[in-house]
Each structure stands twice: as C-alpha cells, then as structure tokens.
Amino acid sequence: MSISFRQSQIRVSVSEIISETETAPNLTTYEWLAWRFCRSWLTGQETFTLHTSGSTGTPKPIILTRHQMAASARMTGRALGLQPGDAALVNLNVQYIAGMMMLVRGLELGLDMTIIEPAATPLAGFPMETGFDFQSYVPLQLQATLEQTPGNIPLLNRAKAILVGGAPISRGLENRLQAVVAPVYQTYGMTETVSHVALRRVNGAEKRGLYSALDTIFFTTDPRQCLVIHAPQLNPEPVITNDVVDLLSPATFRWLGRADNVINSGGVKVLAGKVEAAVETVFARQNTGRRFFVAGLPHPQLGEVVTLIVEGAPFAPATQESMLQAAAALLARYETPKSILFVAQFAETPTGKPDRNRTLGQLA
C-alpha cells in the first residue's frame, strides 16, 4: 500500500509515514492535513473529532471512535468489492467526514491512495492511462467533469465503483451519468452515521430509485414517517433523522424530503423535497443545469407561499412562466411554486452545499 501526494509529487509507504517525525517535508498545507490524519490513524489514535456540515443547522462537533470508522470502511469495502492494492482517488476535503473516510478506507482496506486538494474537475491533468478503481465526488465535481473535461470520461469508466454524495444529484446530472460505464452510486448518510449507510445505483441497467442498506444495517420509521437508522457497529443508539421516506423494507427506502423543510401554505403542509423533485424533471427537460431549492416565503394570507429559488441571472419572463406551468402539470395545486426568485450566487456551507438560510437572508 502506498500514498501519493500529487501536488508535491511525493509517494510514501505506510512505514515511512509512521517513522517520520511530526513534520513531513515538501508537502502543501492541505497535504499536511491528510498526512497528519494518516499518521494519527497508523499510530493508533482512538478518537477523532469532526464537525457536521451545517447544511440543515449550526455545525456541531461529533466524536467518532476508531472502531466506528474502521467498521464503516469495511462495510463499504464489502459492498463495492474493493481489494487490497486497488487504487483510490482522494479528492474530497479530508477535514470533513466524506474525505476523512476515504483516507480510512484506504488505510483499512490496503488501497493505494492518490491525494489531491479538492477541485471542480479532479481528473484534469491525469494521464489518460491512469486508473482509479475507487472514486468519490460531490455532484458539482461530476457535473463539471462531464461538461468541462469530457475527455476524462475514460478515467471514470475504469473505476470499480464511483460514489457521489454530500448533496442531491440533479435529474440532469443523473441523465448525463448514463454515459458512464462504471457503476455510480448515490450515497445516503451523515457524520453521525460515520459516512454512508445506504447506496442507490444511479446509472446503467441496475439503476434504481431506492436506497439499499449496507450489511448489518436496517431501517424503521418514526411517527413522522422519518427514517430511523439502526447500525449497531457504527452507533449503539438508533439515529433518528429528519428525512421523510417511503420505507419499502427494513433494508430499502425511497427518500421523499426533509421534515424540517416543510412549507405551511394556507394550512396545507408541503414537502419542499417533493416539489424539488418535480422541478428537477422540468429543468432536465429544458436542459437547465442551474442550482435551485424550494422554500416557503412569508405571505399575508397563506402564511407561507411555495417559491422556487434559482442561482444565477433571471430567466426571461416567458421561460419562467413555461417552467411554472410545467411544474404545475406534475404537482398538486397547493404544491406548485407560485413564483421564481433569483440569487446571483448561493451562500454555501464549508463543504460546498447550498446554505438555504443564509441564501434566503440575501433575498431579505
């Protein structure tokens, strides 16, 4: 097993990391963060403090144990058929759960890791003969790779498995991913569950609309119809989420939306996630790749009114009207957005997710 720091063009073995002093020569600041974590893991550190992303609230610190993280890594390895010596690309921020767990998977499963600082098009600049068996991205990185560097698609196709998470996959991106031969999986999980606990295949003949649990994990729902995660190896207590789901079996579910993102319009409760799914369909039909979300804005009679918030310059009035009409054809009358508002650039969390509250504050 080896670890390559691409920017500094340094390749080291596990024994070299363990034997080095606290400082590693010639690494960038970011690479040093990855080096330091690897050294802490390899020398037996038992607990690690991470912070939640803050996409649904204030970021908070969470302490994870070595046992929890190693168990999660092994689950992923079994689910994806990863083997010692497989090559892994680590291009997610190692200060957060997604990137840190890529390091843990590499160290626990004996993968050869190439570590690069997060970038919009992580594969740009790699020789065409490069092969990464295991790759993981956020949706924006995959979108940019497919649109801006389509010549890198062969590098995607050489993977045993590609994970994409951290934010929902747009319908347009899912359509584009059908051009990728390698299996691509959308992840479901959070810092509290030590990264993902379920996967959904999003391309190819095995594409599904349902998430499937990793082994040893099962699901129930609470009275709100929100998912409850039972993962004894990762957390001794069930994790109660705010994700409203359609639970098909103890191991499979369809995600419907966030219970803490409910719009009360005229006394009717509207799941923003359901409306967003319909808007995704409309945007895909019209080949619109903009980021957006649905929110309830104050209304003097209704209390809140369903509103579509879109990033970027305003669409032409006729385009806006056609989009609202197209959405209305897919939704009930009370669920249909009544207007579209535009924000030049969404505020973001530290992990690059749209920060809804801060973005709405810009509108105010």
Side-chain angles (χ1 to χ4, degrees):
M1 188 188 101
S2 65
I3 301 175
S4 299
F5 296 89
R6 183 169 183 258
Q7 188 169 340
S8 298
Q9 298 183 333
I10 292 176
R11 186 181 185 90
V12 296
S13 65
V14 167
S15 60
E16 287 175 299
I17 291 181
I18 295 174
S19 64
E20 280 285 354
T21 61
E22 283 296 323
T23 58
N26 303 319
L27 295 182
T28 68
T29 300
Y30 178 80
E31 289 171 336
W32 162 238
L33 292 172
W35 172 286
R36 187 173 61 182
F37 175 84
C38 291
R39 192 173 193 278
S40 297
W41 185 270
L42 291 168
T43 54
Q45 185 169 317
E46 287 294 333
T47 61
F48 300 84
T49 301
L50 295 92
H51 287 78
T52 59
S53 66
S55 57
T56 58
T58 303
K60 59 182 179 181
I62 291 179
I63 296 176
L64 298 178
T65 68
R66 182 187 189 88
H67 171 78
Q68 290 173 300
M69 298 167 81
S72 175
R74 290 192 291 270
M75 286 181 189
T76 298
R78 289 192 294 270
L80 303 180
L82 301 177
Q83 300 294 326
D86 283 347
L89 176 65
V90 181
N91 60 269
L92 300 175
N93 194 327
V94 298
Q95 298 178 85
Y96 293 93
I97 188 68
M100 188 176 290
M101 282 305 301
M102 284 297 290
L103 296 178
V104 175
R105 293 170 196 131
L107 296 169
E108 282 295 298
L109 303 176
L111 309 179
D112 290 331
M113 293 187 286
T114 296
I115 299 172
I116 64 172
E117 193 162 351
T121 53
L123 294 173
F126 279 103
M128 287 309 298
E129 64 272 15
T130 305
F132 293 113
D133 301 291
F134 182 35
Q135 305 173 33
S136 186
Y137 303 93
V138 296
L140 282 177
Q141 289 175 320
L142 272 184
Q143 183 91 29
T145 296
L146 294 172
E147 292 180 353
Q148 300 175 26
T149 59
N152 290 139
I153 291 178
L155 277 68
L156 294 173
N157 286 337
R158 295 194 186 103
K160 283 185 176 181
I162 297 171
L163 301 182
V164 55
I169 297 177
S170 71
R171 190 66 58 88
L173 175 57
E174 191 164 318
N175 290 342
R176 286 178 177 272
L177 285 171
Q178 305 317 305
V180 177
V181 174
V184 182
Y185 299 92
Q186 184 174 15
T187 64
Y188 175 86
M190 56 207 75
T191 307
E192 294 89 336
T193 59
V194 199
S195 188
H196 52 262
V197 292
L199 300 174
R200 179 178 78 89
R201 178 73 181 263
V202 299
N203 71 329
E206 298 178 35
K207 175 182 174 181
R208 301 187 71 198
L210 306 177
Y211 286 93
S212 297
L214 301 186
D215 61 359
T216 77
I217 294 172
F218 69 95
F219 306 117
T220 58
T221 54
D222 68 7
R224 302 169 300 158
Q225 202 184 340
C226 287
L227 190 71
V228 180
I229 302 167
H230 302 265
Q233 292 191 48
L234 306 180
N235 198 315
E237 299 296 327
V239 176
I240 301 172
T241 75
N242 282 322
D243 291 307
V244 181
V245 302
D246 182 10
L247 189 65
L248 281 302
S249 78
T252 56
F253 67 89
R254 178 180 287 106
W255 185 85
L256 300 178
R258 296 278 302 178
D260 51 3
N261 196 11
V262 173
I263 301 166
N264 191 332
S265 185
V268 177
K269 293 184 177 180
V270 178
L271 274 176
K274 181 181 178 183
V275 182
E276 288 169 352
V279 174
E280 282 285 3
T281 298
V282 173
F283 275 29
R285 289 174 181 171
Q286 301 193 13
N287 199 28
T288 300
R290 301 272 197 96
R291 290 197 296 179
F292 72 90
F293 61 87
V294 170
L297 297 189
H299 188 276
Q301 283 80 42
L302 299 175
E304 292 182 309
V305 63
V306 181
T307 308
L308 176 58
I309 315 297
V310 178
E311 185 177 45
F315 299 132
T319 301
Q320 295 185 45
E321 183 60 29
S322 69
M323 286 182 166
L324 292 175
Q325 290 178 1
L330 301 172
L331 295 163
R333 180 175 58 83
Y334 55 84
E335 296 172 328
T336 302
K338 302 303 184 287
S339 64
I340 306 176
L341 298 180
F342 297 86
V343 177
Q345 186 172 0
F346 284 171
E348 294 183 344
T349 68
T351 54
K353 300 178 187 178
D355 188 318
R356 295 178 182 236
N357 291 335
R358 286 175 54 209
T359 299
L360 290 175
Q362 294 178 28
L363 285 172

